[in-house]
């Protein structure tokens, strides 16, 4: 039953090219284009390469993924999330699909498909960063260095990827909750973006980790990423990172369950 | 009796508005059941509760004996509620594919139903560009294509051209008669209900105002209306089978096969006949008679 709903939702998203492009492709493609344009501008403007410059593709990819949950990227992910989770309010199509599967399955499938699409978007972000790095390496004659080829790096990369993905899932769950409450895709995007910007700003101002500051998702994620990406022997105390993980998971669960509970009880008169 | 849909003291309020007011109604499985009523009578609310789109304030609705809104019973039901809307980026074919996946009915015969509702030439067009009539056709395909046991249709022919209306009426009757699908049909078109339905319920202000088979609600079989002079002589020939209908006409309760003999008898009795016309059962009178005065104003 849930599998049916997921298959239907996946089918829909693949055909919603606007949502796929703006929600999940635009940010990685734009980051690649900005990277290429920046390298070309520097090369054309200064007509020389930076002596001793190197290109570390692995770290570049990890940095790109770590930054993929910032407010600008979140805007596009919110557009994708809103199209998936609140599109049926916009098109008044709940009445078409709701009698065919349980409400729990329908909304859970939307969240799962958003999770899939955002994971692909993050992978694309990493790939775009690697392609940008290769181009930069050739253009600036900066040799590739492979500091991150080992298994330790793969673990760090996977850790950073999962934490960023968790942040993005939380953004998707937030869009779902706001979308259900407001019955509007625009509401989901705007309210979601306000929350993301406010908490990112608050996280940037935080100095010390405490349970209160770690309740800010962006700060919890930053603490976790710092912990995971730190080289062996230089890792900070695991306590705040562990609490940060608990906080991030708690936010995700609270928002997703909130959306599911509200949607389950919601009257779909005029969607 | 095997019931397709059952409402028991169903109440639904939207703020101060009481859309359903202790409605109790039993719709048997088999045949076509019409639900009539003016705007705001509670037809769509009843359907939405049955389909799990809306929760009742109190009371219960059951589909095939199971609480309404349960996925297991909903999978036995197809529905088209009001003018259907679709994600505009999907084609007609993709819309049905998506719904088939959602229903766990990946083997549903999409191509057959696209042809059957007359959308063969528009199957790969995006629904965003569809006319109201085309959306209705696709909605009908969506309601029927998983071969449900019960289909709920809310104004299925609104926005369609006359040929399309005939086609869809024939389709509904055909599916009920040949494939045993139970169809519940809400319509404002009394003629449509009279032609298509076996039984009818009339809702008024969220309550059941009348219910019965179409023939009993419309006062029985068709009668022959004759414009004659003199009326008294015609009534004398007709005896118990006749009654006056205004100063210059009589209504004759006869079978169609008896008509030639009746006309001959009237002519032999010196009655002049200027018009003879069959009057079908009058559902409109039954409908208007069942409504409350306030509803009558709304309905007119």
């Amino acid at each position: 039953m849930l599998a049916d709903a997921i298959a239907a939702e996946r089918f829909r998203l693949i055909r919603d090219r606007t949502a796929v492009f703006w929600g999940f492709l635009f940010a990685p493609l734009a980051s690649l284009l900005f990277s290429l344009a920046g390298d070309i501008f520097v090369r054309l403007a200064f007509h020389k390469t930076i002596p001793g410059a190197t290109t570390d593709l692995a770290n570049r990819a990890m940095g790109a993924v770590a930054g993929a949950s910032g407010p600008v990227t979140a805007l596009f992910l919110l557009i994708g999330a809103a199209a998936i989770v609140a599109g049926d309010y916009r098109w008044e199509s709940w009445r078409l699909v709701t009698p065919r599967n349980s409400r729990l399955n329908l909304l859970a499938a939307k969240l799962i498909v958003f999770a899939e699409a955002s994971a692909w978007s993050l992978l694309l972000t990493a790939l775009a960063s690697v392609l940008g790095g290769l181009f930069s390496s050739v253009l600036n004659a900066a040799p590739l260095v492979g500091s991150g080829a080992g298994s330790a790096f793969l673990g760090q990369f996977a850790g950073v990827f999962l934490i960023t993905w968790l942040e993005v899932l939380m953004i998707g769950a937030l869009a779902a909750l706001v979308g259900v409450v407001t019955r509007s895709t625009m509401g989901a995007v705007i309210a979601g973006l306000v929350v993301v910007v406010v908490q990112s700003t608050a996280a940037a101002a935080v100095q010390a980790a405490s349970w209160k500051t770690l309740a800010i998702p962006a700060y919890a994620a930053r603490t976790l990423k710092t912990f995971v990406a730190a080289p062996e022997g230089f890792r900070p105390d695991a306590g705040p990172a562990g609490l940060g993980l608990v906080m991030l998971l708690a936010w995700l669960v609270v928002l997703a369950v909130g959306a599911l509970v509200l949607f389950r009880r919601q009257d779909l008169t005029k969607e | 009796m095997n019931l397709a849909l059952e409402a028991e003291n169903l109440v639904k309020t939207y703020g101060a508005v009481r859309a359903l007011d202790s409605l109790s109604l039993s719709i048997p499985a088999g045949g076509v059941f019409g639900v009539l009523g003016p705007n705001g009578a509670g037809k769509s609310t009843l359907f939405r509760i049955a389909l799990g789109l809306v929760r009742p304030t109190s009371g219960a609705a059951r589909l095939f004996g199971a609480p309404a809104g349960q996925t297991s019973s909903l999978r036995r039901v197809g529905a088209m509620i009001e003018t259907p809307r679709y994600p505009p980026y999907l084609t007609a074919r993709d819309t049905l594919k998506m719904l088939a996946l959602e229903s766990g009915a990946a083997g549903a015969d999409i191509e057959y139903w696209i042809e059957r509702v007359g959308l063969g030439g528009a199957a790969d067009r995006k629904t965003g560009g569809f006319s109201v009539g085309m959306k209705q056709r696709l909605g009908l395909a969506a309601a029927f294509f998983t071969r449900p046991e019960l289909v709920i249709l809310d104004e299925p022919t609104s926005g369609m051209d006359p040929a399309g209306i005939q086609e869809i009426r024939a389709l509904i009757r055909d599916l009920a008669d040949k494939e045993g699908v139970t169809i519940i049909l809400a319509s404002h078109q009394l003629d449509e209900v009279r032609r298509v339905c076996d039984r009818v319920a009339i809702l008024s202000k969220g309550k059941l105002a009348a219910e019965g088979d179409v023939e009993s609600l419309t006062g029985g079989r068709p009668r022959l209306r004759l414009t004659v002079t003199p009326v008294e002589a015609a009534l004398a020939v007709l005896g118990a089978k006749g009654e006056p209908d205004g100063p210059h006409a009589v209504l004759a309760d006869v079978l169609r096969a008896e008509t030639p003999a009746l006309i001959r008898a009237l002519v032999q009795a010196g009655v002049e006949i200027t018009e003879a016309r069959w009057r079908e059962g009058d559902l409109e009178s039954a409908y208007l008679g069942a409504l409350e005065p306030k509803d009558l104003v709304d309905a007119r």
Side-chain angles (χ1 to χ4, degrees):
Chain A
M1 301 283 271
L2 178 61
D4 297 335
I6 292 170
E9 205 53 52
R10 205 180 278 139
F11 179 84
R12 259 176 91 158
L13 179 62
I14 289 167
R15 273 151 180 80
D16 189 357
R17 289 181 197 153
T18 309
V20 170
F21 177 76
W22 289 108
F24 306 104
L25 294 180
F26 181 76
L29 290 178
S31 73
L32 174 62
L33 289 175
F34 273 117
S35 165
L36 298 181
D39 281 332
I40 291 168
F41 174 76
V42 169
R43 190 80 178 87
L44 291 176
F46 299 105
H47 300 289
K48 59 180 178 184
T49 57
I50 303 162
T54 57
T55 304
D56 187 338
L57 293 180
N59 274 329
R60 209 182 148 104
M62 189 155 71
V65 170
S69 53
V72 176
T73 325
L75 168 64
F76 294 100
L77 287 167
L78 277 165
I79 290 171
I84 294 172
V85 298
D88 283 312
Y89 293 105
R90 182 179 180 192
W91 309 124
E92 297 186 34
S93 44
W94 273 127
R95 77 182 86 145
L96 193 68
V97 292
T98 308
R100 296 172 191 275
N101 213 315
S102 79
R103 292 213 191 179
L104 212 60
N105 287 343
L106 288 170
L107 195 60
K110 287 179 182 292
L111 290 169
I112 289 167
V113 168
F114 171 73
E116 285 177 3
S118 57
W120 283 111
S121 183
L122 288 181
L123 280 176
L124 204 59
T125 300
L127 182 66
S129 167
V130 168
L131 288 175
L134 286 172
F135 181 78
S136 176
S137 167
V138 171
L139 194 70
N140 297 312
L144 295 176
V145 291
S147 67
S151 63
F153 169 77
L154 286 178
Q156 289 170 344
F157 179 82
V160 168
F161 184 94
L162 286 174
I163 295 157
T164 308
W165 192 45
L166 200 57
E167 269 189 286
V168 169
L169 294 187
M170 198 205 71
I171 291 170
L174 174 69
L177 181 63
V178 178
V180 169
V181 171
T182 62
R183 302 179 182 228
S184 150
T185 49
M186 193 56 85
V189 173
I190 291 172
L193 188 63
V194 167
V195 171
V196 169
V197 168
V198 167
Q199 60 121 354
S200 298
T201 310
V206 167
Q207 299 293 328
S210 68
W211 71 268
K212 282 183 186 170
T213 56
L214 286 166
I216 302 169
Y219 183 69
R222 200 175 77 198
T223 306
L224 261 169
K225 284 175 197 170
T226 307
F227 176 80
V228 169
E232 200 69 45
F234 293 94
R235 287 232 158 102
D237 181 18
L243 185 57
L245 180 62
V246 170
M247 288 294 187
L248 270 182
L249 287 170
W251 273 116
L252 175 62
V253 170
V254 165
L255 292 168
V257 170
L260 289 166
V261 168
L262 285 177
F263 179 61
R264 206 173 165 200
R265 302 183 60 81
Q266 189 172 51
D267 274 356
L268 296 169
T269 42
K270 287 283 178 200
E271 294 93 274
Chain B
M1 182 167 46
N2 194 9
L3 295 176
L5 173 63
E6 211 180 342
E8 195 181 317
N9 290 320
L10 211 51
V11 175
K12 179 64 188 177
T13 55
Y14 296 106
V17 178
R18 212 169 170 84
L20 290 180
D21 190 3
S22 300
L23 174 70
S24 291
L25 174 67
S26 296
I27 299 180
V32 184
F33 192 98
V35 180
L36 285 171
N39 293 331
K43 306 183 296 289
S44 295
T45 304
L46 170 66
F47 292 165
R48 283 178 182 273
I49 289 174
L51 295 169
L53 291 165
V54 164
R55 296 157 64 87
T57 305
S58 65
R62 283 183 282 275
L63 280 173
F64 299 110
Q70 277 189 356
T71 313
S72 55
S73 51
L74 286 176
R75 291 219 159 167
R76 300 166 70 181
V77 181
M80 186 176 81
I81 303 297
E82 295 167 2
T83 304
R85 312 266 180 145
Y86 312 96
Y89 50 82
L90 292 178
T91 64
R93 181 179 279 117
D94 282 348
T95 301
L96 294 184
K97 275 185 192 169
M98 183 265 287
L99 294 174
L101 288 169
E102 200 79 80
S103 312
D109 195 348
I110 291 169
E111 300 309 317
Y112 168 80
W113 281 99
I114 281 178
E115 289 297 330
R116 182 127 191 211
V117 298
L119 283 177
D124 292 316
R125 275 176 55 190
K126 290 187 177 173
T127 57
F130 273 19
S131 66
V132 175
M134 290 167 85
K135 285 180 180 171
Q136 294 284 107
R137 286 173 185 272
L138 181 57
L140 286 163
F144 286 113
F145 85 119
T146 53
R147 301 268 174 196
E149 295 164 58
L150 167 67
V151 174
I152 296 174
L153 301 173
D154 194 358
E155 300 287 341
T157 56
S158 81
M160 283 189 178
D161 55 71
I165 290 173
Q166 290 231 329
E167 209 179 302
I168 296 307
R169 282 178 187 163
L171 170 70
I172 290 170
R173 212 45 264 185
D174 199 42
L175 288 167
D177 294 340
K178 294 184 184 161
E179 300 185 28
V181 181
T182 304
I183 296 171
I184 302 175
L185 169 84
S187 178
H188 284 115
Q189 297 180 45
L190 301 181
D191 184 53
E192 177 167 275
V193 172
R194 190 181 57 73
R195 283 168 190 264
V196 174
C197 298
D198 305 306
R199 287 181 71 79
V200 175
I202 300 173
L203 301 191
S204 168
K205 292 185 173 180
K207 292 179 178 172
L208 182 64
E211 192 202 345
D213 56 64
V214 173
E215 210 167 79
S216 69
L217 279 176
T218 56
R221 65 181 190 221
R223 291 193 290 177
L224 185 63
R225 185 178 190 276
L226 297 157
T227 307
V228 291
T229 311
V231 168
E232 295 73 21
L235 286 172
V237 172
L238 284 163
K241 288 183 175 180
E243 64 173 276
D245 186 35
H248 306 294
V250 294
L251 283 174
D253 188 10
V254 293
L255 297 173
R256 284 179 193 269
E258 295 170 345
T259 312
L262 172 64
I263 302 283
R264 270 198 301 276
L266 288 168
V267 170
Q268 281 169 10
V271 176
E272 283 184 18
I273 304 169
T274 51
E275 188 184 54
R277 190 164 22 155
W278 283 100
R279 180 185 274 185
E280 299 293 334
D282 186 2
L283 187 57
E284 187 175 61
S285 300
Y287 173 70
L288 295 174
L291 300 184
E292 292 180 24
K294 167 73 173 62
D295 280 336
L296 288 173
V297 174
D298 293 343
R300 280 167 178 156

